[in-house]
Amino acid sequence: QVQLVESGGGLVTPGGSLRLSCVASGFTFSDHYMIWIRQAPGKGLEWVTYIDDSGTTIFYADPVMGRFAIFRDNAKNSSYLQMSSLTAEDTALYYCARSLLNGDDVFDLWGQGTMVIVSS
Amino acid sequence: DIQLTQSPSFLSASVGDRVTISCRASQGFARYLAWYQQKPGKAPKLLIYGESTLQPGVSSRFSGSGSGTEFTLTISSLQPDDYATYFCQHFTTYPLAFGQGTKLEIK
């Protein structure tokens, strides 16, 4: 079955850290760029970070620059989001998504999301 | 950085109506726009991208158009399954951005 499954979310205190995982199945993971997108409760979509197929090109949104790190392990069909110095503004449902094969940064497969709540 | 503004934010329409949702960009670009549909409790679903490339399995009632700073998603004849929130996304360069969303409700 072609799918992405996120895990690792939970409740964390401000200033804490969390690592999210995204495991792919049913397709050739190493062919796709991957991104993480978040959605605060009742809000819109916010792009967080991008990693290319080989893991050599990475971009971050300004609000997470220096605090979040994305990486991938193609042998494990997995992408990871290491989050640190978390604040209440990071509270959101975090989705991973894969890019189209044609290189366009458009995302045709999404996971179900994992919820991160930052609160004391 | 490119910002996207959708209008309207809320739209009430009836089954069978023709609906248009606009997405305005802060800077002009050509084909690099996509549209997603999101239903409550679900992940976004890619509908259309580029010139007007429909994702496999997406109804031909959906179409996209525009260039420069003005883009439009059109649903030709609303069906009950179309009630959802719609987001535009540019993919010209990073940072990517999404519009704030248009919630389509039953009239």
Side-chain angles (χ1 to χ4, degrees):
Chain A
Q1 184 179 1
V2 176
Q3 63 179 1
L4 295 168
V5 179
E6 302 98 332
S7 62
L11 176 63
V12 60
T13 55
S17 299
L18 213 53
R19 175 181 288 190
L20 307 183
S21 300
C22 170
V23 179
S25 58
F27 64 97
T28 305
F29 177 72
S30 58
D31 284 347
H32 295 265
Y33 311 152
M34 297 296 294
I35 66 166
W36 288 86
I37 290 170
R38 66 186 180 183
Q39 188 169 34
K43 302 297 185 181
L45 302 170
E46 179 185 19
W47 167 73
V48 174
T49 182
Y50 157 96
I51 188 167
D52 73 353
D53 50 351
S54 63
T56 55
T57 299
I58 290 171
F59 301 116
Y60 296 101
D62 284 347
V64 307
M65 185 85 69
R67 301 187 300 119
F68 288 15
I70 186 173
F71 54 104
R72 66 190 294 161
D73 184 339
N74 287 341
K76 295 184 177 180
N77 293 325
S78 296
S79 171
Y80 305 94
L81 182 63
Q82 179 66 47
M83 306 185 295
S84 61
S85 303
L86 287 163
T87 73
E89 286 67 43
D90 298 315
T91 293
L93 185 63
Y94 284 73
Y95 293 103
C96 66
R98 75 172 190 186
S99 69
L100 295 176
L101 275 174
N102 65 1
D104 283 337
D105 292 309
V106 176
F107 306 96
D108 67 337
L109 181 66
W110 297 58
Q112 83 289 349
T114 187
M115 188 70 199
V116 172
I117 300 172
V118 184
S119 176
S120 55
Chain B
D1 299 353
I2 296 173
Q3 283 86 47
L4 299 176
T5 303
Q6 289 181 231
S7 60
S9 295
F10 296 92
L11 179 57
S12 181
S14 302
V15 172
D17 283 353
R18 178 183 177 90
V19 167
T20 59
I21 298 171
S22 296
C23 180
R24 174 173 292 178
S26 59
Q27 300 173 38
F29 52 88
R31 56 177 282 277
Y32 300 104
L33 194 91
W35 290 94
Y36 297 83
Q37 176 193 67
Q38 187 179 34
K39 295 184 177 180
K42 301 294 186 181
K45 172 187 174 182
L46 177 62
L47 297 175
I48 294 172
Y49 67 96
E51 295 292 346
S52 189
T53 302
L54 215 59
Q55 270 297 92
V58 174
S59 170
S60 58
R61 295 181 293 99
F62 291 90
S63 63
S65 63
S67 66
T69 60
E70 300 285 342
F71 298 85
T72 300
L73 173 71
T74 300
I75 310 172
S76 60
S77 178
L78 266 179
Q79 298 301 304
D81 191 49
D82 300 337
Y83 291 96
T85 299
Y86 294 85
F87 295 93
C88 57
Q89 175 224 323
H90 83 78
F91 55 103
T92 57
T93 186
Y94 282 84
L96 302 180
F98 291 85
Q100 82 281 11
T102 295
K103 186 174 183 179
L104 179 54
E105 299 178 327
I106 299 174
K107 189 171 185 178

